[in-house]
Every structure is written in structure tokens, then in C-alpha cells.
Amino acid sequence: MIILLTGAISAAYAQAVKPLISVEKIDPQFSNIVSKTINARTIAQGFAWCEGPLWIESHKMLLFSDVKKNIIYKWTQAKGKEAYLTPAGYTGKTLRGGELGSNGLGLTLKGELVICQDGDRVVSIMNAPLQKPQAKFTKIATGFKGKKFDSPNDLAFAGNGDIYFTDPPYGLEKNINDPLKEAPYQGVYKIAKDGKITLLTDTLTRPNGIAIFPGGKTILIANSDPAKPYWYAYDLDKNGQLTHGRIFYNAKAATKTDEGMPDGLKIDKNGNVFASGPGGIWIFNKTGKLLGKIKINDLASNCSFSGDEKTLYVTSNHRVLMINLR
């Protein structure tokens, strides 16, 4: 008997029968990072679009954003998924749609929660202890030269306390054509430890994921533009400015066969890059050599390491995966 499945049913069936993950080894170095015993499971699901995973080792908890539902969730081994903070990204009273919630999350050197708030178009710090979250915020970046940001997306933290962030238009209801967009570009910015905001570049078309390599001398930025699906690398000078920009890797060919764009990314202590991109998580060494991929049967938006870097947490569309790397 042949059964024909159509529409949403066939898509759901295809995802159900396709393995959660598969591994594509491209270079022998891959085996030093991902073992043959790699395995994955879904630890939380039922989200509209999840992003910004942040593993907090001191509390053994994972925080992540449901960007469309305006909620930050918490996951722990003991209790599973719990609502952690709402509202998380939009505190206004006017009803609106789109990606209005929080996105990228991180911690200051003092252990404070930093939030990219798409709906409010700011970067803020939560004014409450991590273990007792409250929707009280201090805005640490609201705009540049009198113009509001589009929608701060992702964060990277320098060893001296400076914070770098990307500002694509995805949190605006009409994206690049939204009438509320004020800056004529998409920027990458730095919040200095003294509070000064600096525009680092306005040349990237869709800056998204961002991370700093160990040693603090190079920064990596994902560009999630179908016309320019690149990861860019820049050197950081003594003032934290971007210099010597170059394409770290061009994913154009892969976008023709796999869904997804360069998006969120993390860099391990050895300088290996784990980057969400077409088809799943791409793994590079620090020179930009592609070592392999962890193929995922749905769109991957971002990832975060456990404290020992043996586990990778991946936000993947409507769910969160735990991948035991080795």
C-alpha cells in the first residue's frame, strides 16, 4: 500500500522519521571535537521561535528566548521547562506582532543578565538576581546619535567588560521596510564599560550572531542575508575597534540545498566555532577551515555550551536540543 501525505501532515511526518541529528565529517580534526558516541534529545518544545540560549553554570540552568511570545524560559535537569521572565523584550502597551520579545542573552562580569530586547529596541540589564527574576530593567543602549536601534539581536562580551552587539531589522514588524526604522543601515556596536556607545561597522547587510575568539583579538560576525550568507572575521585593535575585515567562510553554495542562514554562534576555549547555518551546526577551526557539521532536522538558530563544553544546547525553531558531543 502506498500512502500519500500532503501539506502540514507530510512535513510533520518527514521531521518525525528523519533522525534528530546526523554527523557530516569533513576533516579529521572533527573527531577531536565530536565523538562517535554523539547523541541528542529534545529537552523542551512548544515555542513559536526560540533563540539566544545561555547556559549558566553556577545555577545549572539554561535560559533562552521565545522571541515571538515575549518570554524568557528556563530549563533545568530537575524541573525541565519553566517560564522565567515575561515581558522579556517588549514592555510597551500597544499590541504588536513580529519578533517582539528578547533575543540574545548574556552575563556581565558581575553576573547580571544582559538582554537584547527586540520589541523595545534596546539592550538592557535585568535589575534582579538570577534566581529571582523580575521584569525590571536598566537600559544600557537605546540608540546611536539620536536614532533608535532597529532590534538588538546578539551579544559578545570582551574580557575588559565591553559588550558588542548586532542590530539587524528582524524585530521590526515590517523588517527592513518598517516605517519606524531610523538608521539607514544595519550596525554592529560596542558598549564600553563606561557606557559609551560606538558604531563599529555599518557595512554588513544583516549582522546577526557574534562571538569573540579566545585571547580577545578577533571577533566573528554572522551575516544572515541570502545574498551574502557569510561569516565575517575582524581583528580587534587596542581600542576594541574592528580592523582587517574579511570573509571567514562563504555559505552561499550550501543555501541552495539546505534551509537556514548563518545565525547564532559560539566559540569554545580552543577557538573552534560552532555556528548555526544552512542545515544545522557548522564547526570550524579558528582559521576558518570547515571541519564538519551536525545536521539537524529543523532550522537551528543558536547554541550554547555547558560549563565543560561537552554538551551543546541548540535552539531549533520550536524546540531546544541537548547534544552530547563527547
Side-chain angles (χ1 to χ4, degrees):
M1 178 184 294
I2 298 176
I3 300 175
L4 297 179
L5 301 176
T6 61
I9 295 176
S10 62
Y13 177 78
Q15 182 171 312
V17 299
K18 189 176 181 181
L20 195 60
I21 66 167
S22 59
V23 172
E24 180 182 348
K25 179 180 175 180
I26 297 172
D27 186 272
Q29 294 179 53
F30 186 76
S31 298
N32 298 326
I33 302 169
V34 176
S35 75
K36 293 181 180 179
T37 60
I38 183 174
N39 63 84
R41 66 184 178 97
T42 300
I43 59 172
Q45 56 189 329
F47 311 106
W49 176 251
C50 54
E51 252 283 10
L54 171 67
W55 176 257
I56 302 179
E57 180 68 17
S58 59
H59 294 273
K60 301 296 182 184
M61 67 179 178
L62 181 75
L63 300 182
F64 56 94
S65 302
D66 190 329
V67 184
K68 295 184 178 181
K69 294 297 185 180
N70 205 12
I71 301 172
I72 292 175
Y73 282 93
K74 175 178 75 172
W75 178 88
T76 59
Q77 188 72 51
K79 295 185 178 181
K81 176 184 77 174
E82 300 175 86
Y84 178 80
L85 183 68
T86 186
Y90 180 60
T91 59
K93 302 300 181 182
T94 303
L95 293 177
R96 56 152 292 180
E99 297 186 356
L100 76 168
S102 59
N103 203 312
L105 308 173
L107 296 179
T108 68
L109 296 177
K110 297 179 181 179
E112 303 160 309
L113 182 64
V114 184
I115 306 172
C116 286
Q117 297 185 299
D118 278 7
D120 285 348
R121 302 168 66 177
V122 300
V123 180
S124 296
I125 289 177
M126 182 180 72
N127 286 332
L130 290 175
Q131 65 272 26
K132 294 182 180 180
Q134 297 183 59
K136 297 180 179 179
F137 309 104
T138 296
K139 299 174 182 178
I140 59 173
T142 60
F144 182 72
K145 291 189 174 180
K147 296 185 183 297
K148 288 184 178 180
F149 298 125
D150 286 358
S151 53
N153 184 280
D154 208 354
L155 302 156
F157 295 79
N160 67 350
D162 291 349
I163 301 172
Y164 295 76
F165 71 94
T166 55
D167 187 39
Y170 300 128
L172 299 173
E173 287 188 270
K174 296 182 180 180
N175 208 290
I176 194 73
N177 298 314
D178 198 291
L180 297 179
K181 179 175 169 58
E182 297 187 8
Y185 55 83
Q186 283 63 242
V188 178
Y189 298 88
K190 182 184 74 170
I191 309 169
K193 54 188 175 182
D194 63 4
K196 181 182 178 182
I197 310 295
T198 303
L199 173 64
L200 300 174
T201 180
D202 60 3
T203 62
L204 302 189
T205 52
R206 295 294 185 275
N208 201 320
I210 186 168
I212 299 173
F213 281 89
K217 295 183 178 181
T218 306
I219 195 167
L220 190 63
I221 304 171
N223 194 58
S224 50
D225 180 353
K228 296 180 178 180
Y230 310 150
W231 287 277
Y232 291 96
Y234 296 85
D235 293 335
L236 294 172
D237 68 15
K238 63 180 181 179
N239 297 314
Q241 301 282 352
L242 306 187
T243 64
H244 188 213
R246 65 271 190 193
I247 295 176
F248 183 79
Y249 199 90
N250 180 346
K252 185 73 172 181
T255 63
K256 297 178 181 179
T257 57
D258 291 308
E259 286 189 288
M261 287 287 138
D263 200 332
L265 57 97
K266 297 294 184 295
I267 301 174
D268 72 14
K269 62 185 179 182
N270 296 316
N272 298 306
V273 178
F274 287 67
S276 55
I281 301 296
W282 296 45
I283 301 175
F284 306 93
N285 68 10
K286 59 186 176 182
T287 67
K289 185 176 185 179
L290 180 60
L291 306 180
K293 301 176 185 179
I294 301 173
K295 306 284 280 188
I296 296 173
N297 69 353
D298 202 351
L299 291 172
S301 64
N302 209 332
C303 59
S304 181
F305 295 112
S306 61
D308 60 8
E309 297 188 344
K310 292 181 180 180
T311 300
L312 188 72
Y313 297 96
V314 178
T315 45
S316 175
N317 203 350
H318 310 304
R319 64 194 178 170
V320 179
L321 307 182
M322 174 193 283
I323 302 176
N324 296 309
L325 300 172
R326 52 190 181 274

